[in-house]
Amino acid sequence: MLSPAQKSFLLIALRVTLIAGVVGGIAALAGGESIGVLFVALVLLVAFSYYAWKLAQLFHWLEDPQAATLPDAGGMWGDVLGKLYRLIKQERVSQKSLSDALSRFQQAAAALPDGALMLDNQNNIVWLNPVAELHWGISLANDRMQTVTYFIRYPEFIAYLDQRNYGEPLALKVSRKDAAGQAHESSLAVQLVPFGEDQMLLLSRDVSERERLETMRRDFVANVSHELRTPITVMAGFLETVTSIGEGNPELMKKSLAHMTTQAQRMQRLVEDLLTLSRLEDNSHRPAQAPINVPELIASLAIDGGQLSAGRHRIATHIAPQWLLGNRDEIASAFSNLISNAVRYTPAGGEIDITWTMEGLEPVFRVRDNGEGIAPEHVPRLTERFYRVDRGRSQATGGTGLGLAIVKHVLIRHSARLDIRSSRDSAQHGTQFSIFFPAERACAAEPRPHAVAA
Ligand code: ADP
């Protein structure tokens, strides 16, 4: 059985031979044998030229199938061109689906929260996603096909790469510079994953935030345990004394009970402050916001401050009749912490000014004292939990070390900011805490019920 291609070839050969035979025969009859041979040669030459021309057209079209139009031909040429055309079309479709798949893969890899960097069998960089560019300071556009160890030079990484046992991820501290040339330290969890023929994927995840939170959690637990251990140890000591010799010594019993009460109160304050902080940090629960009668609130907090001072300070207030939109309990807690700090850290005879004013469109609460002030290096850390300049002084005056952390969280929830100015200059010492509320929180006083009735 002949194939369609062989059939087409035979048909053409037959056709050319027939035409050449007929034309050559007629020419031989008319002009003799040599004329007949000449005509046969002529027919063969025309046939050859025709097929050579078709071949040239095909060649031209194959050079750039997109630009040139498909040559028009029938018979065997038509079949050949048709087959070629279908092949090229198929090729184009598969090329497009390949490039679509590649661009989908690149989009997915670019959206990954982790860094992904592809290495060939020579440890050259084949490809990396934008997160990996950021983690390693490598640019896909400029650094492709460069050896990875040229950029990632940490000895631990080179050892990890060489050991060829990538079961466990590598914890790496890296330092990178931002656009402004500022160096930043971060912690990366790095894992090499072999794939394909001796290729590797280098995955990297920034775990700095996780580590920071873990350190914070550990410090917090250590701090709370430490804060609770002191009063508990003191109470245990007194209980032991009372149990052994207290009954026969009413005076000692009385003193011990007073000390134990002080320690119990200290623990109570600590637990209350911890609960307040955890409520403030819980962003899923936002308490209701309403207009607060701040002038009335400050007047009452100033009275509490006076009681805490017990006449040891002069407390002055300057209160504008401005109301504020917010949560009353939280604002009261922030203001009262600043007032009680001023009383507690200002020696007897000192002066404390409490003001509530409008500065431009912003409502501002300010507490200023002329105590001994705070050294500048402590100021940025004052709102950290349990940060104290003088631990003994804080505890002696009933401090928990959480007051300013509470203030900070209340302000975050009210989009307000805290400004701390302090001076230890002997001529003008003292501290000033100012809370600036955003203008949108200033609100009109609510009409009193009887005013509404009128
Ligand atoms: P504490 O319960 O120890 O007072 P805070 O968080 O309220 O904790 O304050 C943190 C530290 O800031 C205090 O221990 C104290 O050292 C310092 N501080 C706060 N307010 C004042 C102030 N008005 N004058 C001097 N130091 C202050």
Side-chain angles (χ1 to χ4, degrees):
M1 256 327 252
L2 292 176
S3 71
Q6 284 167 330
K7 267 190 208 158
S8 293
F9 172 75
L10 275 181
L11 210 67
I12 291 170
L14 215 67
R15 211 181 279 163
V16 171
T17 316
L18 201 70
I19 294 172
V22 172
V23 172
I26 295 171
L29 282 177
E33 196 177 321
S34 53
I35 298 289
V37 172
L38 188 72
F39 268 83
V40 168
L42 251 174
V43 169
L44 288 178
L45 187 70
V46 168
F48 175 76
S49 305
Y50 173 75
Y51 287 108
W53 177 62
K54 283 286 166 197
L55 206 62
Q57 269 189 324
L58 175 62
F59 190 67
H60 174 65
W61 179 68
L62 281 177
E63 286 230 293
D64 190 0
Q66 304 269 33
T69 46
L70 184 68
D72 184 21
M76 185 184 166
W77 278 112
D79 291 348
V80 168
L81 290 175
K83 278 214 155 48
L84 266 175
Y85 183 69
R86 273 195 298 280
L87 272 176
I88 288 175
K89 218 166 135 186
Q90 261 173 18
E91 173 71 13
R92 263 189 226 149
V93 169
S94 70
Q95 235 176 38
K96 168 135 179 31
S97 81
L98 205 67
S99 89
D100 282 355
L102 192 69
S103 98
R104 271 201 304 276
F105 165 75
Q106 286 186 343
Q107 275 173 12
L112 277 178
D114 294 342
L117 188 154
M118 218 180 266
L119 296 175
D120 67 9
N121 56 358
Q122 304 289 313
N123 290 340
N124 293 325
I125 299 162
V126 177
W127 180 87
L128 68 163
N129 70 353
V131 180
E133 288 191 305
L134 206 74
H135 284 170
W136 304 115
I138 299 175
S139 146
L140 176 61
N142 302 329
D143 307 325
R144 252 191 104 240
M145 296 322 285
Q146 305 260 23
T147 310
V148 70
T149 46
Y150 180 72
F151 298 95
I152 311 176
R153 296 176 175 211
Y154 303 97
E156 313 94 285
F157 175 75
I158 294 172
Y160 179 62
L161 188 66
D162 288 344
Q163 71 175 2
R164 308 232 141 230
N165 171 19
Y166 310 125
E168 287 293 310
L170 168 74
L172 202 62
K173 290 252 178 263
V174 298
S175 164
R176 56 173 181 256
K177 287 198 173 136
D178 64 14
Q182 189 91 23
H184 293 277
E185 289 281 325
S186 52
S187 302
L188 294 183
V190 176
Q191 174 108 48
L192 277 163
V193 184
F195 75 99
E197 284 171 22
D198 223 6
Q199 285 170 299
M200 275 193 292
L201 203 58
L202 172 64
L203 299 174
S204 51
R205 173 172 293 180
D206 194 333
V207 290
S208 316
E209 183 59 12
R210 201 172 72 193
E211 275 188 4
R212 196 183 63 83
L213 290 176
E214 182 53 28
T215 311
M216 260 175 72
R217 192 193 62 78
R218 263 201 309 268
D219 288 353
F220 182 69
V221 172
N223 275 322
V224 172
S225 317
H226 180 80
E227 295 290 331
L228 285 172
R229 196 178 55 194
T230 317
I232 288 173
T233 312
V234 175
M235 279 177 90
F238 281 121
L239 276 173
E240 215 171 282
T241 316
V242 168
T243 320
S244 57
I245 51 166
E247 260 180 69
N249 190 342
E251 196 52 37
L252 177 75
M253 180 90 143
K254 210 170 138 194
K255 261 195 197 161
S256 301
L257 284 178
H259 282 303
M260 283 194 279
T261 308
T262 310
Q263 297 305 326
Q265 282 168 346
R266 186 171 156 189
M267 284 198 282
Q268 197 175 5
R269 272 197 305 275
L270 180 68
V271 172
E272 271 165 16
D273 277 0
L274 283 171
L275 286 173
T276 305
L277 254 187
S278 85
R279 265 197 306 273
L280 289 170
E281 282 177 339
D282 175 9
N283 284 327
S284 61
H285 171 69
R286 287 264 167 162
Q289 310 272 309
I292 307 167
N293 184 345
V294 178
E296 194 181 83
L297 174 69
I298 297 177
S300 128
L301 294 175
I303 294 172
D304 296 347
Q307 277 172 359
L308 186 65
S309 158
R312 289 174 297 129
H313 310 91
R314 186 192 63 77
I315 301 179
T317 54
H318 312 273
I319 309 173
Q322 178 63 53
W323 284 40
L324 183 81
L325 190 64
N327 180 268
R328 193 181 192 282
D329 289 346
E330 291 183 4
I331 293 291
S333 156
F335 289 5
S336 103
N337 266 306
L338 294 186
I339 296 173
S340 89
N341 277 357
V343 172
R344 287 167 39 236
Y345 296 108
T346 303
E351 294 182 357
I352 295 164
D353 284 319
I354 303 169
T355 54
W356 172 242
T357 52
M358 288 298 284
E359 292 189 4
L361 294 173
E362 289 182 329
V364 181
F365 175 74
R366 182 169 288 132
V367 180
R368 189 170 54 215
D369 63 58
N370 63 354
E372 61 194 39
I374 306 163
E377 67 270 22
H378 296 294
V379 171
R381 301 196 56 190
L382 290 181
T383 56
E384 287 175 22
R385 301 162 184 185
F386 299 113
Y387 189 84
R388 287 133 158 159
V389 177
D390 178 347
R391 184 173 208 96
R393 178 85 182 269
S394 160
Q395 286 180 347
T397 56
T400 59
L402 296 172
L404 291 179
I406 291 175
V407 172
K408 180 178 101 177
H409 283 282
V410 170
L411 300 200
I412 291 173
R413 281 156 79 100
H414 287 80
S415 319
R417 71 192 150 87
L418 182 66
D419 177 75
I420 307 173
R421 284 165 200 229
S422 195
S423 165
R424 289 168 74 82
D425 188 331
S426 54
Q428 218 188 357
H429 51 86
T431 306
Q432 173 181 292
F433 285 89
S434 309
I435 300 177
F436 292 83
F437 290 95
E440 314 83 80
R441 288 205 171 260
C443 66
E446 263 191 358
R448 291 186 182 279
H450 68 265
V452 174

